[in-house]
Amino acid sequence: MSTLIIAEHDHQTLRAATRSAITAADQFSESVDLLIIGHNVSALAEQGARLNGVTRVRVIDDALYANPVAEDLAPLIAGIASEYRAVVTAATSFGKNLLPRVAALLDLDMVSDVTGIIDASTYLRPIYAGNLNAKVRNDSAIKLLTVRPTAFEATPDRDTVSPIETLAAQASAGLARWISTEIQKSDRPELSTARVVVSGGRSLGSAEKFQEVIAPLANKLNAAMGATRAAVDAGFAPNEFQVGQTGTVVAPELYIAVGVSGATQHIAGIKDSRVIVAINHDPDALIFQWADYGLVADLFESVKELEQALN
Amino acid sequence: MKVVVGIKRVVDHNIRVRPKADGSDVDTSSVKMSINPFDEHAVEEAVRLKEAGTATEVVAVAIGTAQHQDILRHALAMGADRAILIETSDVLSSLATAKVLRAVVEREQPQLVMVGKQAIDEDAAEIGQMLATLWNVGQGTFASKLVFNGNSVQVTREIDGGQETVELNLPAVVTADLRLNEPRYLKLPNLMQAKKKPLETVALADFGVNTATKLHLLAVEEPPARAPGIKVASIQELVDKLRNEARVI
């Protein structure tokens, strides 16, 4: 059986999440086509053709898709879906916005945020903020699923090149127009794929303290910076930093939680990290139930000390 | 402008849920149920639109058993004008739910439908997008800000790494992110008043919607437990453990 992967990209580079989706599809599919929809994406198509696991790249390149909306992307995908037994994309804000539209166009059920693939029809997915896992079977003729990127390794590049095919654009549905995008520029690794994440909670007390305490430690470890919802709501860190059920789900090698209490919705976003470290002044903080290594101490002094110890 | 808000009754977000003894489903017997938090943001926004004169009427809709009247009364106490309970004991898939809401749209002819971005039980985040597609209108998912302008709405959306703004023709579907607003607390007089507001019950069968699904829940289980951790006494010990035991730095 063959699978269609919908690529997520910025017209120059493929997002790591798409590489994870390819790995997931590879587990149940004999061939995997990568669909790239964008504008001036010939270089990107060549990158896609070198991805391990990709059988063919299909490209729809048109000025219409310089900043596409789901209302215009979904009909393109639904139009070729009948050639496949599965359509897969990563469970990012892009994939979550798009795939349910494809599902409704095809009158099919879908399964979202899959973390484990048992066979071509049976999947594991977290429910109740990751407190439970559900095993679900989808008997639809075409399986539509979004996969959680942190649950699957990113597929690497390879030496051989797959064929590239061009498909035609379609007129806009005219329902929605892109106006603007604001992406927070950062020299740090991307939060969802970073090897190390350093997160701060509300105990940091202010935006200034957050930067003063978290940033130097993150710099030292080449880590992404994260924050709890409480810290974001208090204005200590921007929205994009939020880690948890309602923010970004991470699964780094090392997660350092500084002044984080350990609310359920935050734990849902970190519990698959390989090693969790918690530094908190409150010995009863829930985070210690999840931490591999916990230190009960004043966080302002400890983090400074930790930073120095890493020299 | 008429606004329809779709709301769901879910296990309260403070409750720690467990699987049933046979692992067939989640044990939701005798636990506290509440309005889905994201749906509360959707109701709040609709009520604010009415207070600002943008909306003329706010209709709250829920699908479920007679018990679901409690969340509809909650929405009415927040400021919704009337409520519709689509009564069924079936648990519907996202697609089936979207089809039922499409039938409600057909009947009510709203200019805007709002729902939460996801329900905190299934965590699927699908219904708003599916409804928008079946209705053939635009979608503003994960919305943190709405600006209405004549026959269109500009929606600021929370996306990975930042925000995006899209403009939708009306009618449209918007799914509420946590950052859209701060839902109001219910005051006792409003709760009393809500009891007098109209709450209509319609049998699901009356809509003639095919709610069959190809999805089957096979089992619900606890995720694998993490090995218990240890408390270290000092930063030196922590660094030593991270270097020599966990080998992550």
Side-chain angles (χ1 to χ4, degrees):
Chain A
M1 66 175 278
S2 61
T3 295
L4 182 70
I5 305 272
I6 305 158
E8 186 174 348
H9 59 83
D10 61 1
H11 305 273
Q12 273 109 45
T13 317
L14 209 61
R15 271 196 74 180
T18 299
R19 289 175 179 262
S20 298
I22 293 166
T23 301
D26 234 6
Q27 292 185 12
F28 64 84
S29 194
E30 285 149 26
S31 64
V32 172
D33 283 3
L34 180 69
L35 177 64
I36 299 175
I37 306 170
H39 186 42
N40 293 331
V41 287
S42 51
L44 185 66
E46 283 167 32
Q47 283 172 37
R50 282 199 191 82
L51 289 171
N52 189 48
V54 170
T55 319
R56 178 171 62 162
V57 177
R58 308 184 86 177
V59 181
I60 306 177
D61 193 330
D62 196 291
L64 272 175
Y65 310 120
N67 290 106
V69 289
E71 289 82 345
D72 292 340
L73 293 177
L76 296 173
I77 298 155
I80 58 171
S82 63
E83 299 172 36
Y84 298 92
R85 297 294 301 279
V87 178
V88 177
T89 190
T92 56
S93 56
F94 171 83
K96 288 179 186 172
N97 187 48
L98 175 58
L99 206 66
R101 244 191 126 94
V102 177
L105 283 174
L106 296 169
D107 192 24
L108 293 173
D109 289 300
M110 64 171 284
V111 181
S112 62
D113 211 12
V114 167
T115 51
I117 290 166
I118 295 161
D119 61 43
S121 315
T122 318
Y123 322 102
L124 286 179
R125 61 179 304 271
I127 56 173
Y128 288 88
N131 281 315
L132 296 173
N133 279 334
K135 189 197 281 188
V136 292
R137 194 181 75 228
N138 183 358
D139 289 336
S140 305
I142 308 170
K143 322 296 181 196
L144 303 177
L145 57 152
T146 65
V147 297
R148 184 177 283 198
T150 55
F152 302 92
E153 297 270 323
T155 196
D157 291 337
R158 65 169 175 212
D159 295 334
T160 53
V161 180
S162 303
I164 299 173
E165 179 195 81
T166 306
L167 300 174
Q170 281 176 21
S172 166
L175 303 173
R177 289 161 298 283
W178 172 86
I179 302 290
S180 63
T181 304
E182 276 177 60
I183 296 291
Q184 252 58 37
K185 289 275 174 249
S186 168
D187 297 332
R188 295 178 201 286
E190 195 194 11
L191 182 58
S192 62
T193 53
R195 204 189 71 85
V196 181
V197 175
V198 181
S199 264
R202 193 164 41 186
S203 316
L204 286 155
S206 68
E208 292 71 32
K209 284 282 176 200
F210 190 95
Q211 276 300 324
E212 203 181 302
V213 174
I214 302 296
L217 181 60
N219 288 345
K220 186 123 298 179
L221 291 162
N222 189 31
M225 282 166 69
T228 63
R229 185 175 163 216
V232 169
D233 283 350
F236 301 171
N239 290 347
E240 300 74 42
F241 279 33
Q242 191 185 312
V243 174
Q245 184 190 16
T246 57
T248 303
V249 176
V250 300
E253 289 281 297
L254 174 60
Y255 187 85
I256 304 182
V258 178
V260 170
S261 63
T264 310
Q265 92 90 22
H266 186 72
I267 298 297
I270 70 163
K271 68 182 179 51
D272 293 320
S273 305
R274 189 163 81 77
V275 175
I276 297 176
V277 170
I279 303 175
N280 201 308
H281 67 274
D282 175 8
D284 297 324
L286 288 171
I287 188 76
F288 287 120
Q289 294 176 15
W290 297 87
D292 298 280
Y293 304 109
L295 178 66
V296 180
D298 176 85
L299 57 95
F300 297 101
E301 285 168 23
S302 309
V303 172
K304 212 167 282 174
E305 210 183 315
L306 175 58
E307 195 195 317
Q308 281 157 7
L310 291 169
N311 277 330
Chain B
M1 182 176 81
K2 187 198 275 192
V3 184
V4 164
V5 189
I7 62 176
K8 186 177 186 186
R9 190 169 186 263
V10 297
V11 173
D12 188 87
H13 68 281
N14 289 313
I15 308 274
R16 176 79 195 264
V17 287
R18 312 254 175 227
K20 284 183 181 168
D22 64 358
S24 63
D25 204 341
V26 181
D27 187 358
T28 56
S29 59
S30 70
V31 298
K32 183 176 181 237
M33 305 292 281
S34 301
I35 180 173
N36 177 41
F38 293 103
D39 299 345
E40 204 175 8
H41 290 273
V43 175
E44 175 66 32
E45 196 66 16
V47 170
R48 287 187 193 190
L49 289 174
K50 185 164 182 210
E51 288 166 348
T54 310
T56 48
E57 188 183 27
V58 176
V59 183
V61 178
I63 304 169
T65 60
Q67 290 177 310
H68 288 58
Q69 287 183 15
D70 60 358
I71 58 163
L72 288 168
R73 293 286 175 207
H74 183 108
L76 292 170
M78 286 180 74
D81 297 294
R82 60 189 172 88
I84 304 171
L85 173 63
I86 298 160
E87 203 168 11
T88 177
S89 54
D90 295 348
V91 177
L92 303 186
S93 72
S94 296
L95 185 63
T97 303
K99 286 178 180 175
V100 174
L101 290 176
R102 176 70 185 93
V104 172
V105 160
E106 198 60 48
R107 203 183 85 154
E108 293 289 332
Q109 301 286 324
Q111 287 293 98
L112 180 70
V113 173
M114 296 201 62
V115 292
K117 73 165 180 175
Q118 70 191 64
I120 62 164
D121 50 2
E122 291 287 330
D123 285 332
E126 296 164 2
I127 288 166
Q129 296 89 309
M130 288 176 166
L131 169 63
T133 312
L134 297 174
W135 191 9
N136 194 30
V137 300
Q139 64 189 37
T141 55
F142 323 138
S144 59
K145 191 181 170 196
L146 305 182
V147 179
F148 286 84
N149 187 5
N151 281 327
S152 66
V153 56
Q154 285 206 355
V155 182
T156 301
R157 308 178 49 237
E158 297 294 315
I159 60 169
D160 300 333
Q163 280 98 37
E164 176 187 79
T165 303
V166 292
E167 187 174 53
L168 312 174
N169 300 340
L170 292 174
V173 174
V174 167
T175 80
D177 185 84
L178 287 169
R179 295 190 182 86
L180 185 58
N181 53 47
E182 187 72 41
R184 65 197 63 193
Y185 286 106
L186 298 188
K187 295 189 186 119
L188 188 60
N190 295 352
L191 279 165
M192 301 304 288
Q193 227 173 17
K195 287 185 181 160
K196 294 182 192 131
K197 289 184 178 177
L199 194 163
E200 178 192 3
T201 300
V202 188
L204 175 63
D206 290 352
F207 281 110
V209 175
N210 178 7
T211 57
T213 179
K214 302 270 191 190
L215 297 181
H216 307 279
L217 179 64
L218 303 180
V220 169
E221 53 205 27
E222 302 263 7
R226 288 182 72 93
I230 57 160
K231 290 237 172 93
V232 294
S234 66
I235 284 291
Q236 284 74 28
E237 192 188 343
L238 176 63
V239 171
D240 176 65
K241 295 277 187 202
L242 291 178
R243 267 205 186 113
N244 303 315
E245 193 175 272
R247 296 178 190 278
V248 281
I249 56 170

